[in-house]
Structures are given as C-alpha cells and as structure tokens.
Amino acid sequence: MTTQTVGPSARLRRLNIALIVVCQSMQGLAFGGIALFLPLIRGDLGISPSQAGLIAAAGTFTYALMQIPSGYLSDRFDPKRLFVAGLLGTNLLSITFALLDSYGWLLANQAVSGIFRSLVFAPGLMLISRQFREDRRATAMGLYVAGGFSSNILLNALGPALVGPLGWRWLLILFAASGLLVLLAFAKLGAPAPRKAGAKPPTWTEARELLAHRAVWLAGFIQFVRLAVVTGMAFWLPSLIVEDKGHSLAVAGAVVAIGAAVTAPSNFLGGWVSDRLGRPLAVVGLSLGMLAVTIFLIPWVDALPALIAVIAVNSIFLQLYFGPLFAVPLRYVGTANPGLVTGFGNFCANLGGVAFSFGLGAFKDATGSFDAGLWALSGMCAAALAVTWLISRLPKP
C-alpha cells in the first residue's frame, strides 16, 4: 500500500494562495473601516454627506486612472514586486489617515492611497491566477476578491463593539499595522511570478488593438455598473441603515456583516460555476438581474427582518459574477497579456465607483434620502443586463 504525499511545489502553491488572499483581505479592512465608521468620522470632522462622498471618490478616481498603467506594468514586470509596493503604501497611508484632522489632507491622503491600491489589484489577480490552470481562471479571480469580503465579516461584527473603547482612529491604525505584518510574511515567503516562456509585453500598437475589441468595451460597461453597485453599497450602506432606516450603528454593523458573510463564498462559487459550465455570461446575467430587483426593493423595506433578507440576497449576487466578468473579454482577445485587459476592465469599474461613491451622497443631500440613488443603481443593472445579451451575440474567435 502506498501513501500519497503533497510535494513541495503543491505546498508552496497553497502557501502562495493563502498569503495573497490574506494580504488582499487585510487591506480591505482599512477601506471598509472608513465606510463603517463614516457617521463617526463625519461627526468628528463636521463634514456633509457630499464631502464624505468626495473622500471616497478621491481615492477611487486616482485608483481608476492607474488601472491601465498598473495592468501594463503587470505584463512587463514581476507582479509580486508591484503587489508588495502597493500594499506597503496602502497600509502606511491608512495609518496617516487616522492621524489627520484636516478635511483637505484627508482628501489628499485618499487620492495618493488610490495610486498605491492600483498596484494591488491587477498584479494580485495575476499572482493568484498563475497558481491555477488556465481553465480555472474565473475560480482564481473569485477566490482573490473573496478575501476582501471575508475581512468585512470580522470588521462589521467586531468593529462596532471595539470602536467605543478604542475609537475609530486607533482601530484603523490597528488594521493597517496587522496588514503590514502579513505583508512582511508574503514578501519573505511568497514566490515571484515570472512571465510565461516566450511571452512578451504588448507594444503600444498591440495594446490599442486589444483595447479596441468590442467585447472589451461592452464588458467595460458592465464593469462600470459592477463597481458602482459594490462601492456605493459598501460605502453608504451603514449610513443608509442608521440615517434612513433609524437603526443603531451596532445594528448596521451586524447587517453589513451578514451581507459580507454571504458575499465572501459567492465570489468563489461564481467563478467555480462559471468554469465548470463554461458559461460565464450566464452567471453575469443572472447576477445583474437579481441585483436590479433587490436594489429596487431596498427603499420600500423598513422592517429589520425584511431589510436583512433583501440585503442578504443582494449580497449573494453582489460579487458572484466578479471572476466570470473578468474572464469574458479574455475569451475574445486571448490570455497572452491579461494584465492590460484586466486593468482596462477595472479602470471602467472604478469610474463607476467614483460616480456612485459621490453620487449617492449627492442624492442624499438633494432629496434627504438614498432612495433616488438606489433606483438609479437598479436601472443601471438592468442596462448592464441588456449589454450582457449583446456580448452573447458577438462571434466567438
């Protein structure tokens, strides 16, 4: 009788996957902390909802502008170096955010933070994708982003209890310091990700041809809607529950934690289903349809049990299609230079994030509630569903 053992390469691959996911999840704590504690931050600094929206929009805007350069650099250089540099800058800026009192400096802090966060996304996706087979690309991408939502479970479950004795500033410092410790482990133990043999970074002519493909642009519109929904809901949901629905911050934290608890596994599940069935567009279309319905219902639901149910269903589909959506354009343009195509998709996504991290605050200022902004998001999900059908009609290479 023989026993099967796990070889060094398999153990190294699993260690790499774990460290990449944990690094991603730790940097998600700081951004999620700003959203959760936003009512407290606004009270301390005396800023309006529109001004608070600008804090989110400043970082998201620079993050969006850097997506294509970040993707190109990921195709040209070792993604591990970019990933480490991005996480280092992001965590250090999270510490300084907690030390600032000036609204102008907070805007500047988040604008610079967006540049460093851009060096985390595309390089991180390439790092984890290279730990899986080509036909498991959507699974890998879904697992990567699941880490960020897993950390939100911990944040929203414990944050409201800890913010009383520690305060939001010390909590943000604690999150960032923990992220630096995990990053040190990855920098020491994580493996680099050299380019495939024979692969070359694209020339500017080749890059223009890649980015001119119709599937890339149509998927870019869906990406715009995807992160408009994710960022808008993540940044403003605690405030909506506290200010529009009349519940406490502890209740808001619990509701958001429940949402994060169902979102985290759905990231992986969506990629796995997409890879198993070979139908990423079906996963994308189903998700967008459910998001349109649940977001439309939120303004009408006030009772806490019903509100939790609607948000939980919404959260299942919030990122279910993350991996499949990033995999869709690669089916049309190939996988020789995935960093550039991924960077373009996330650039479009973050334009949506900029628009609705600020836009929902502006709707709140103008109308006194988040209802109109939520209905606008619901309509955009319906439009993205129509675009999904258009992609399905494109000839396959």
Side-chain angles (χ1 to χ4, degrees):
M1 183 176 67
T2 61
T3 58
Q4 186 176 8
T5 60
V6 179
S9 60
R11 287 196 296 269
L12 179 61
R13 184 178 71 88
R14 292 175 183 175
L15 176 63
N16 272 312
I17 292 171
L19 287 174
I20 292 167
V21 171
V22 173
C23 282
Q24 155 73 356
S25 69
M26 293 305 297
Q27 71 120 9
L29 280 176
F31 185 76
I34 294 174
L36 177 62
F37 305 134
L38 189 60
L40 302 178
I41 295 171
R42 284 175 49 204
D44 283 355
L45 301 178
I47 59 178
S48 69
S50 293
Q51 288 177 308
L54 280 175
I55 291 178
T60 308
F61 181 67
T62 54
Y63 179 70
L65 292 179
M66 282 295 296
Q67 285 307 304
I68 295 177
S70 173
Y72 180 80
L73 291 173
S74 301
D75 286 330
R76 192 171 185 85
F77 301 107
D78 182 2
K80 180 185 176 182
R81 294 184 180 181
L82 299 173
F83 189 67
V84 169
L87 285 169
L88 179 62
T90 299
N91 284 296
L92 290 176
L93 285 162
S94 295
I95 292 174
T96 59
F97 183 93
L99 302 176
L100 296 171
D101 287 312
S102 165
Y103 175 69
W105 280 111
L106 288 175
L107 281 177
N109 173 280
Q110 287 302 284
V112 177
S113 178
I115 296 173
F116 281 99
R117 285 194 297 116
S118 73
L119 298 178
V120 176
F121 185 80
L125 279 181
M126 292 186 65
L127 280 171
I128 200 166
S129 293
R130 292 182 186 180
Q131 309 300 320
F132 290 78
R133 301 197 313 263
E134 286 281 345
D135 61 344
R136 292 290 181 263
R137 182 176 297 275
T139 301
M141 292 178 173
L143 178 61
Y144 175 73
V145 79
F149 283 89
S150 299
S151 65
N152 278 340
I153 302 172
L154 178 66
L155 168 67
N156 289 284
L158 298 181
L162 295 176
V163 73
L166 295 178
W168 65 268
R169 295 181 186 274
W170 278 109
L171 275 180
L172 290 184
I173 292 172
L174 178 63
F175 296 154
S178 302
L180 288 173
L181 290 176
V182 175
L183 175 60
L184 181 63
F186 175 71
K188 184 71 175 177
L189 303 174
R195 291 180 59 79
K196 296 178 182 179
K200 297 179 181 179
T203 64
W204 285 113
T205 300
E206 292 169 337
R208 287 196 300 270
E209 291 177 356
L210 279 174
L211 299 183
H213 197 285
R214 185 176 298 178
V216 173
W217 279 89
L218 291 175
F221 176 79
I222 302 174
Q223 290 281 14
F224 179 96
V225 175
R226 178 186 69 82
L227 208 63
V229 173
V230 171
T231 303
M233 295 295 290
F235 196 77
W236 289 110
L237 186 58
S239 297
L240 182 150
I241 294 171
V242 172
E243 298 175 17
D244 277 18
K245 303 299 183 180
H247 300 290
S248 67
L249 183 62
V251 170
V255 173
V256 175
I258 292 170
V262 298
T263 300
S266 74
N267 286 282
F268 176 79
L269 179 63
W272 182 82
V273 170
S274 172
D275 286 334
R276 293 287 292 178
L277 299 180
R279 299 185 62 189
L281 283 174
V283 178
V284 173
L286 173 64
S287 301
L288 289 168
M290 292 302 297
L291 288 173
V293 172
T294 53
I295 293 172
F296 181 82
L297 290 176
I298 288 174
W300 303 99
V301 178
D302 292 321
L304 185 58
L307 182 65
I308 292 173
V310 172
I311 291 175
V313 174
N314 176 271
S315 299
I316 292 172
F317 295 95
L318 194 66
Q319 288 282 80
L320 184 74
Y321 63 121
F322 176 90
L325 180 55
F326 275 100
V328 162
L330 297 177
R331 293 164 69 96
Y332 291 88
V333 301
T335 60
N337 293 286
L340 183 63
V341 178
T342 298
F344 177 81
N346 210 39
F347 165 73
C348 296
N350 280 276
L351 292 181
V354 170
F356 276 85
S357 59
F358 172 73
L360 284 179
F363 275 117
K364 170 70 171 177
D365 273 347
T367 66
S369 76
F370 292 102
D371 293 357
L374 291 172
W375 290 328
L377 277 180
S378 177
M380 292 186 64
C381 289
L385 180 59
V387 170
T388 304
W389 179 81
L390 291 177
I391 296 177
S392 72
R393 311 308 298 168
L394 293 177
K396 292 183 175 60

